[in-house]
């Protein structure tokens, strides 16, 4: 049986913490920034963890199951 390939887009977008959790970037920080407040733009810079409801989908894309 052939090896499973990791989704190329997913491996560029997600990273792992030391404990194995999956980190992601916030959306809505690439364009149309003039109408967003400084606070909103500043808070979108930071990374966060993938929500539990999406974890199965992300793990499937990264072939971790």
């Amino acid at each position: 049986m052939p090896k499973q390939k990791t989704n190329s887009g997913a491996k560029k977008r997600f990273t792992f913490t030391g404990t194995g959790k999956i980190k992601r970037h916030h959306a809505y920080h690439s364009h149309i920034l003039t109408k967003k407040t400084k606070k909103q733009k500043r808070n979108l810079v930071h990374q966060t963890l993938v929500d539990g409801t999406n974890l199965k989908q992300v793990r499937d894309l990264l072939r971790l199951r």
Side-chain angles (χ1 to χ4, degrees), residues 6-15 57-58 60-62:
T6 302
N7 183 282
S8 296
K11 67 184 174 187
K12 297 170 192 171
R13 287 174 169 82
F14 299 105
T15 56
Q57 294 167 317
V58 173
D60 281 344
L61 290 171
L62 296 172

Side-chain angles (χ1 to χ4, degrees), residues 5-52:
K5 289 191 176 178
T6 302
N7 183 282
S8 296
K11 67 184 174 187
K12 297 170 192 171
R13 287 174 169 82
F14 299 105
T15 56
F16 294 95
T17 63
T19 57
K21 296 176 183 172
I22 304 174
K23 293 191 297 186
R24 67 169 178 89
H25 289 284
H26 283 283
Y28 308 111
H29 194 256
S30 56
H31 57 88
I32 313 176
L33 298 173
T34 53
K35 61 177 75 171
K36 295 176 180 126
T37 64
K38 290 179 186 176
K39 182 179 179 180
Q40 187 178 3
K41 289 184 279 192
R42 185 173 63 244
N43 289 334
L44 289 173
V45 169
H46 307 295
Q47 288 189 340
T48 186
L49 296 176
V50 172
D51 190 63

